[in-house]
Amino acid sequence: MTYKMIDLQWFAAEDEGRTEEPSEYKLEKARKEGRLAKSQELNSALVMLLTVIVLVFMGPSMLKDFAAVLRFYFSRCTNTEVNDPNLAKAFFYFFIRLTLPIGIVGIVGGVAGNIIQNKGFLFTTKTIEPNFKKIIPNFAEYFKNTLFSFRGFFNIIKSIGKVAVISVISYALIRRDIPVLLLEIQNGNIGEAAGHIARMAAQLLIVSAVIFLIIAIPDYLVQRRQFMEEMKMTKQEVKEEYKEMEGDPDVKNHLQQEQRRILQQNIPKAVKESDVIITNPTHFAVALKYDKTVTEQAPQVTAKGEDEMAFTIKRIARENDVPIVENRPLARGLYTDTKVGDIIPEQYIRAIVLVYTHIKYNSKK
């Protein structure tokens, strides 16, 4: 049978082995490069709908401008030089009056469609950078993507569906109004007939734009699904991305800030689980904890505070029998030189060892 001749893998994901969901880092990187899930149907439908609405509301005034253009040129066609500068000025004046509103609305519709799909404004020049690899077409890949893939199959069905729906609606609208139109023409009411044709065209355009907008919704969902499939990662890519993120200073700084924020929000829990609180004794308080599962180097700063926050840390420590050690230089130094989540700097290791030794000695008494 025919279906045996078609490789079913063509309908599967394009990249084999991509089993892992795309990370936020990869999606954000793709976004910065201008690669997003986007439906051209949505942009086209919005531009068409807004443009038709403008044409409907501005139709009478635009018709008057057309009549004014004809009167202007016909009245001067026999007694004006061809190189008269007023002719060019009049042309540009009427041209701007007629096209500027439609152009502005079209631009607004296109920008609005992109903002809606991009979930915000995005400006990038990455998509317009020259790519010489695309000069030589890959016909095999082209036919695979356009004909023998889910995306190609969906686009064909979508195009056929649009043509079929618009054809049916056009036939219904024209069939409904054609008797009235013929009657107006037979009675010699050419002006009314022309107005009736204009109304029919406006109705057909508005209905078509609304239908295209409705079709754009499932199209966007399909485009998003295909985009997420294309962005899937192999296990090796996940490992390499993790290494890349670990080496990225901005990412590391962001992760450290997030960790500090979480730790700072959990001060009561952090103080309860701390080994010791170093105080100055009134202005500063620094909570330390040594956990070999987290770090084998030295204790970690789990909480710190100044003035009222220092008082709160000491109060929680007393309520939970956490040792409090008064050491003014050490407390001030730790508060100044460390952040929540940091490992104790090397210059404070000796002093911290003495503090932990003191705590251990007193606990045995």
Side-chain angles (χ1 to χ4, degrees):
M1 295 180 67
T2 305
Y3 71 87
K4 292 183 179 179
M5 301 174 61
I6 300 176
D7 188 355
L8 296 180
Q9 288 296 321
W10 290 354
F11 293 91
E14 295 182 358
D15 298 311
E16 296 181 2
R18 299 182 181 274
T19 58
E20 306 301 313
E21 293 296 326
S23 64
E24 291 296 329
Y25 178 75
K26 184 174 183 179
L27 293 175
E28 183 61 27
K29 186 177 179 181
R31 176 184 172 82
K32 291 179 180 178
E33 295 174 353
R35 294 187 293 133
L36 297 163
K38 185 162 59 176
S39 170
Q40 294 298 333
E41 299 291 336
L42 181 59
N43 287 9
S44 302
L46 277 177
V47 171
M48 181 178 178
L49 181 61
L50 294 178
T51 304
V52 170
I53 291 174
V54 170
L55 286 173
V56 169
F57 282 99
M58 296 188 63
S61 64
M62 294 178 71
L63 186 61
K64 291 179 181 178
D65 287 336
F66 276 121
V69 171
L70 294 176
R71 283 195 301 270
F72 178 84
Y73 284 104
F74 277 117
S75 64
R76 291 166 174 77
C77 64
T78 58
N79 55 7
T80 305
E81 296 292 335
V82 176
N83 58 356
D84 187 351
N86 291 325
L87 296 178
K89 291 179 181 179
F91 169 78
F92 286 111
Y93 170 76
F94 286 111
F95 178 79
I96 292 173
R97 278 181 61 91
L98 292 170
T99 59
L100 186 61
I102 298 175
I104 291 175
V105 169
I107 293 173
V108 170
V111 172
N114 282 308
I115 290 176
I116 292 172
Q117 296 185 78
N118 297 345
K119 298 179 181 179
F121 184 80
L122 175 65
F123 177 80
T124 178
T125 59
K126 192 74 175 179
T127 54
I128 61 175
E129 291 181 0
N131 186 354
F132 296 102
K133 293 181 180 179
K134 295 183 179 180
I135 295 179
I136 303 176
N138 188 336
F139 292 104
E141 190 70 19
Y142 171 78
F143 284 112
K144 175 183 174 181
N145 293 334
T146 55
L147 297 177
F148 304 106
S149 67
F150 175 78
R151 177 180 293 177
F153 178 75
F154 177 79
N155 288 335
I156 293 173
I157 296 299
K158 179 180 64 179
S159 301
I160 295 174
K162 286 195 296 185
V163 172
V165 171
I166 297 302
S167 299
V168 171
I169 292 176
S170 301
Y171 175 78
L173 291 176
I174 295 173
R175 183 179 181 183
R176 183 195 65 184
D177 293 340
I178 200 69
V180 179
L181 180 61
L182 292 175
L183 182 61
E184 291 173 345
I185 295 174
Q186 290 174 359
N187 294 335
N189 300 325
I190 303 301
E192 294 183 5
H196 197 94
I197 292 174
R199 287 192 294 272
M200 289 171 58
Q203 289 178 359
L204 181 58
L205 288 173
I206 291 176
V207 171
S208 299
V210 172
I211 290 173
F212 290 161
L213 196 60
I214 294 173
I215 293 175
I217 297 175
D219 181 64
Y220 172 75
L221 296 176
V222 170
Q223 298 298 335
R224 178 171 177 78
R225 176 182 175 276
Q226 288 295 111
F227 175 75
M228 296 301 290
E229 285 291 321
E230 293 174 0
M231 294 299 291
K232 279 188 174 180
M233 308 166 67
T234 63
K235 295 184 183 298
Q236 183 62 29
E237 286 176 336
V238 173
K239 294 178 181 179
E240 291 177 356
E241 183 185 273
Y242 179 77
K243 292 179 180 178
E244 181 182 350
M245 290 176 63
E246 283 293 305
D248 190 331
D250 293 335
V251 174
K252 289 177 69 175
N253 185 47
H254 175 74
L255 293 174
Q256 289 174 356
Q257 290 179 352
E258 188 66 17
Q259 182 185 30
R260 294 187 188 106
R261 184 184 65 81
I262 295 172
L263 290 173
Q264 201 70 18
Q265 288 179 343
N266 297 319
I267 282 181
K269 181 180 179 183
V271 174
K272 292 178 184 178
E273 297 177 352
S274 296
D275 299 327
V276 62
I277 309 297
I278 311 295
T279 67
N280 110 321
T282 56
H283 295 294
F284 302 107
V286 180
L288 304 179
K289 182 176 178 60
Y290 180 52
D291 188 350
K292 290 184 179 181
T293 61
V294 177
T295 174
E296 295 184 358
Q297 300 172 352
Q300 182 181 29
V301 177
T302 55
K304 70 174 190 175
E306 183 179 6
D307 297 330
E308 292 185 6
M309 182 59 70
F311 177 80
T312 301
I313 291 175
K314 289 185 288 184
R315 177 180 56 79
I316 297 172
R318 293 191 190 96
E319 293 174 354
N320 294 273
D321 296 327
V322 177
I324 299 176
V325 174
E326 180 181 335
N327 189 321
R328 297 188 180 188
L330 181 59
R332 181 180 292 274
L334 290 175
Y335 185 86
T336 304
D337 297 339
T338 64
K339 297 177 181 179
V340 175
D342 285 355
I343 304 300
I344 298 302
E346 186 176 353
Q347 64 265 30
Y348 298 109
I349 293 296
R350 183 178 179 83
I352 295 301
V353 169
L354 294 176
V355 169
Y356 271 79
T357 303
H358 174 73
I359 295 171
K360 187 176 180 181
Y361 176 77
N362 289 337
S363 63
K364 292 180 178 180
K365 289 185 177 182

